[in-house]
Amino acid sequence: MPPLRRPNAKAPAVRSPIFGPRRDPLEDEARFLRSWLERPLVTGAVTPSGKMLARTMASYVDPRRDGPVVELGPGTGPVTEALIRRGIAPERLILVEFNPDFCRLLTHRFPGVTVIRGDAYDMRATLGSVLAQPAAATISSLPLFTKPLEQRLDLLNAAHDLMQPGAPFVQFTYAVVPPIPARCEAGSYTADRSNRVWLNLPPARVWVYRRP
């Protein structure tokens, strides 16, 4: 007869082969707030993206399209997790993060992903020797409104130069206006937007830019 288990005995924690240790939302919020207080123009937000916003951003990435997926400013990884749940293999993900504490956390939290500490606004130099083939998508959580428009446009052009034709550049914003103008007189890109994600705090919207 098998021995009886004590009713209050805890089963050992099971570690996912894809995800590392589980995210603690309160700890992540504390990390974000601390990073924002230290470097507000770099972090840009006081809390990580909510699950609904992260899922909305990930929904614009087609897991059937071959090639690496670049994420800019992943922070503590809510969008990274949504991308993996979307069906993007961790080995395809290249995360560019400036904060060294976040880099260590991402490496620990998402086994298999490539984490690069570098300047996401200088994508050509940061990823030039890393991308073995054009990227299938670029997902950005960067605080674009802290940069002049010319630098935002340069980032968009750099991302498209490093991606496959028609691949999406996905960016969220809390603002009511687009982070990069929706209209492009030169015709170098097109822009689409999601509905406002009201369940995020604060509410946000996702913009998707493609090169025709």
Side-chain angles (χ1 to χ4, degrees), residues 121-205:
Y121 289 99
D122 191 6
M123 285 185 65
R124 294 181 180 90
T126 302
L127 296 175
S129 61
V130 177
L131 287 175
Q133 62 185 114
T138 299
I139 315 296
S140 170
S141 297
L142 298 174
L144 294 191
F145 279 110
T146 64
K147 302 295 184 181
L149 178 58
E150 183 178 357
Q151 191 169 358
R152 287 178 252 160
L153 288 170
D154 184 65
L155 173 68
L156 181 63
N157 288 328
H160 282 146
D161 287 345
L162 296 173
M163 289 194 296
Q164 304 165 15
F169 178 90
V170 183
Q171 172 73 48
F172 87 89
T173 182
Y174 301 128
V176 296
V177 296
I180 298 173
R183 293 182 179 273
C184 177
E185 295 180 1
S188 59
Y189 65 82
T190 62
D192 297 291
R193 66 179 185 177
S194 73
N195 294 325
R196 186 163 288 279
V197 183
W198 294 105
L199 293 180
N200 194 71
L201 187 65
R205 172 167 280 142

Side-chain angles (χ1 to χ4, degrees), residues 1-5:
M1 183 175 184
L4 297 176
R5 295 182 60 185

